[in-house]
Coordinates of all heavy atoms in Angstrom, one line a residue:
G142 N 14.0 -50.6 -1.3 CA 13.6 -51.8 -1.0 C 13.1 -52.7 -2.1 O 13.3 -54.0 -2.0
R143 N 12.6 -52.2 -3.1 CA 12.2 -52.9 -4.2 C 13.4 -53.5 -5.0 O 13.3 -54.6 -5.5 CB 11.4 -52.0 -5.2 CG 10.4 -52.7 -6.1 CD 9.5 -51.7 -6.9 NE 9.1 -50.6 -6.0 CZ 9.1 -49.4 -6.4 NH1 9.7 -49.1 -7.6 NH2 8.7 -48.4 -5.7
E144 N 14.5 -52.8 -5.0 CA 15.7 -53.2 -5.8 C 16.5 -54.2 -5.0 O 17.0 -55.2 -5.6 CB 16.6 -52.0 -6.2 CG 15.9 -51.1 -7.2 CD 15.7 -51.8 -8.5 OE1 16.6 -52.5 -9.0 OE2 14.6 -51.5 -9.1
V145 N 16.7 -54.0 -3.7 CA 17.7 -54.8 -3.0 C 17.0 -55.7 -2.0 O 17.6 -56.7 -1.5 CB 18.8 -54.0 -2.2 CG1 19.6 -53.2 -3.2 CG2 18.2 -53.1 -1.2
G146 N 15.7 -55.5 -1.7 CA 15.0 -56.3 -0.8 C 14.7 -55.6 0.6 O 15.4 -54.5 0.9
F147 N 13.8 -56.2 1.4 CA 13.4 -55.6 2.6 C 14.5 -55.6 3.7 O 14.9 -54.5 4.2 CB 12.2 -56.3 3.2 CG 11.8 -55.9 4.5 CD1 11.1 -54.7 4.6 CD2 12.1 -56.5 5.7 CE1 10.6 -54.2 5.9 CE2 11.6 -56.1 6.9 CZ 10.9 -54.9 7.0
W148 N 15.2 -56.7 3.9 CA 16.1 -56.8 5.0 C 17.4 -56.0 4.7 O 17.9 -55.3 5.6 CB 16.5 -58.2 5.4 CG 15.2 -58.8 6.1 CD1 14.5 -59.9 5.7 CD2 14.7 -58.5 7.4 NE1 13.5 -60.1 6.6 CE2 13.6 -59.3 7.6 CE3 15.1 -57.6 8.3 CZ2 12.9 -59.2 8.8 CZ3 14.3 -57.5 9.5 CH2 13.3 -58.2 9.7
P149 N 17.9 -56.1 3.5 CA 19.0 -55.2 3.2 C 18.8 -53.7 3.5 O 19.6 -52.9 3.8 CB 19.5 -55.5 1.8 CG 18.9 -56.9 1.6 CD 17.7 -57.0 2.4
T150 N 17.5 -53.3 3.1 CA 17.1 -51.9 3.2 C 17.1 -51.6 4.7 O 17.6 -50.5 5.2 CB 15.8 -51.6 2.6 OG1 15.9 -52.0 1.2 CG2 15.4 -50.2 2.7
V151 N 16.5 -52.4 5.5 CA 16.4 -52.3 7.0 C 17.9 -52.1 7.6 O 18.2 -51.3 8.4 CB 15.6 -53.3 7.7 CG1 15.8 -53.2 9.2 CG2 14.1 -53.2 7.3
A152 N 18.7 -53.1 7.1 CA 20.1 -53.1 7.5 C 20.8 -51.9 7.2 O 21.6 -51.2 8.0 CB 20.9 -54.3 7.0
G153 N 20.6 -51.3 6.0 CA 21.2 -50.0 5.6 C 20.8 -48.9 6.4 O 21.5 -48.1 6.8
V154 N 19.5 -48.9 6.7 CA 19.0 -47.8 7.7 C 19.6 -47.9 9.0 O 20.1 -46.8 9.6 CB 17.4 -47.8 7.7 CG1 16.9 -46.9 8.7 CG2 16.8 -47.4 6.3
L155 N 19.7 -49.0 9.6 CA 20.2 -49.2 10.9 C 21.8 -48.9 10.8 O 22.3 -48.2 11.8 CB 20.1 -50.7 11.4 CG 18.7 -51.0 11.7 CD1 18.5 -52.5 12.2 CD2 18.1 -50.1 12.9
F156 N 22.5 -49.3 9.8 CA 23.9 -49.1 9.7 C 24.1 -47.5 9.6 O 25.1 -47.0 10.3 CB 24.4 -49.7 8.4 CG 25.9 -49.6 8.2 CD1 26.9 -50.1 9.0 CD2 26.2 -48.7 7.2 CE1 28.2 -49.9 8.7 CE2 27.6 -48.4 6.9 CZ 28.6 -49.0 7.7
T157 N 23.4 -46.8 8.8 CA 23.6 -45.4 8.7 C 23.3 -44.7 10.0 O 23.9 -43.7 10.4 CB 22.8 -44.7 7.6 OG1 21.4 -45.0 7.7 CG2 23.3 -45.2 6.2
G158 N 22.4 -45.2 10.7 CA 22.0 -44.7 12.1 C 23.2 -44.8 13.0 O 23.6 -43.8 13.7
V159 N 23.7 -46.0 13.1 CA 24.9 -46.2 14.0 C 26.1 -45.4 13.6 O 26.8 -44.8 14.4 CB 25.2 -47.8 14.1 CG1 26.4 -48.1 14.8 CG2 24.0 -48.5 14.7
V160 N 26.5 -45.5 12.4 CA 27.6 -44.9 11.8 C 27.4 -43.2 11.9 O 28.3 -42.5 12.3 CB 27.9 -45.1 10.3 CG1 29.0 -44.2 9.8 CG2 28.4 -46.6 10.2
G161 N 26.2 -42.8 11.7 CA 25.9 -41.4 11.8 C 26.1 -40.9 13.3 O 26.7 -39.9 13.5
A162 N 25.6 -41.7 14.3 CA 25.8 -41.4 15.6 C 27.3 -41.3 16.0 O 27.7 -40.4 16.6 CB 25.0 -42.3 16.5
W163 N 28.0 -42.3 15.5 CA 29.5 -42.4 15.9 C 30.2 -41.1 15.2 O 31.0 -40.5 15.8 CB 30.1 -43.6 15.3 CG 31.6 -43.7 15.5 CD1 32.3 -43.9 16.5 CD2 32.5 -43.5 14.3 NE1 33.6 -43.9 16.2 CE2 33.8 -43.6 14.9 CE3 32.3 -43.2 13.0 CZ2 34.9 -43.5 14.2 CZ3 33.5 -43.0 12.2 CH2 34.7 -43.2 12.8
L164 N 29.9 -40.8 13.9 CA 30.5 -39.8 13.2 C 30.1 -38.5 13.8 O 31.0 -37.6 13.9 CB 30.1 -39.8 11.7 CG 30.8 -38.9 10.7 CD1 32.4 -39.2 10.8 CD2 30.3 -39.1 9.3
A165 N 28.9 -38.3 14.2 CA 28.5 -37.0 14.8 C 29.2 -36.8 16.1 O 29.7 -35.7 16.4 CB 27.0 -37.0 15.0
K166 N 29.4 -37.9 16.9 CA 30.1 -37.7 18.2 C 31.6 -37.4 18.0 O 32.1 -36.4 18.6 CB 30.0 -39.0 18.9 CG 30.7 -39.0 20.3 CD 30.6 -40.3 21.0 CE 31.5 -40.3 22.3 NZ 31.4 -41.6 23.0
K167 N 32.2 -38.1 17.0 CA 33.5 -37.9 16.7 C 33.8 -36.4 16.2 O 34.7 -35.7 16.6 CB 34.0 -38.8 15.7 CG 35.5 -38.7 15.3 CD 35.9 -39.8 14.3 CE 37.3 -39.6 13.8 NZ 37.4 -39.3 12.4
E168 N 33.0 -36.0 15.2 CA 33.2 -34.7 14.7 C 32.8 -33.6 15.6 O 33.4 -32.6 15.7 CB 32.3 -34.6 13.4 CG 32.6 -33.4 12.5 CD 34.1 -33.4 12.0 OE1 34.7 -34.4 12.0 OE2 34.5 -32.2 11.8
G169 N 31.8 -33.8 16.4 CA 31.4 -32.9 17.5 C 32.5 -32.6 18.5 O 32.8 -31.5 18.9
L170 N 33.1 -33.7 18.9 CA 34.2 -33.6 19.9 C 35.4 -32.9 19.3 O 36.2 -32.2 19.9 CB 34.6 -35.0 20.4 CG 33.6 -35.6 21.4 CD1 34.0 -37.0 21.7 CD2 33.4 -34.8 22.6
R171 N 35.7 -33.2 18.0 CA 36.8 -32.5 17.3 C 36.5 -31.0 17.3 O 37.4 -30.2 17.5 CB 36.9 -33.1 15.9 CG 38.2 -32.5 15.2 CD 38.2 -32.9 13.7 NE 37.2 -32.2 13.0 CZ 37.2 -30.9 12.5 NH1 38.3 -30.2 12.9 NH2 36.3 -30.3 11.9
V172 N 35.3 -30.6 16.9 CA 35.0 -29.2 16.8 C 35.1 -28.5 18.2 O 35.8 -27.5 18.4 CB 33.6 -29.0 16.3 CG1 33.1 -27.5 16.5 CG2 33.5 -29.3 14.8
L173 N 34.7 -29.2 19.2 CA 34.8 -28.7 20.7 C 36.2 -28.6 21.0 O 36.7 -27.6 21.6 CB 34.0 -29.7 21.6 CG 34.0 -29.3 23.0 CD1 33.3 -27.9 23.2 CD2 33.4 -30.3 23.9
R174 N 37.1 -29.6 20.7 CA 38.5 -29.6 21.1 C 39.2 -28.3 20.4 O 40.0 -27.7 21.0 CB 39.1 -30.9 20.7 CG 40.1 -31.4 21.6 CD 40.7 -32.7 21.3 NE 40.5 -33.3 20.0 CZ 39.6 -34.2 19.7 NH1 38.8 -34.7 20.7 NH2 39.5 -34.8 18.5

Side-chain angles (χ1 to χ4, degrees):
R143 208 172 317 126
E144 292 298 318
V145 299
F147 176 76
W148 290 113
T150 304
V151 170
V154 168
L155 292 175
F156 178 75
T157 57
V159 170
V160 170
W163 173 80
L164 188 58
K166 179 182 176 183
K167 180 180 178 245
E168 193 60 25
L170 289 174
R171 187 192 67 79
V172 168
L173 182 63
R174 217 175 14 259

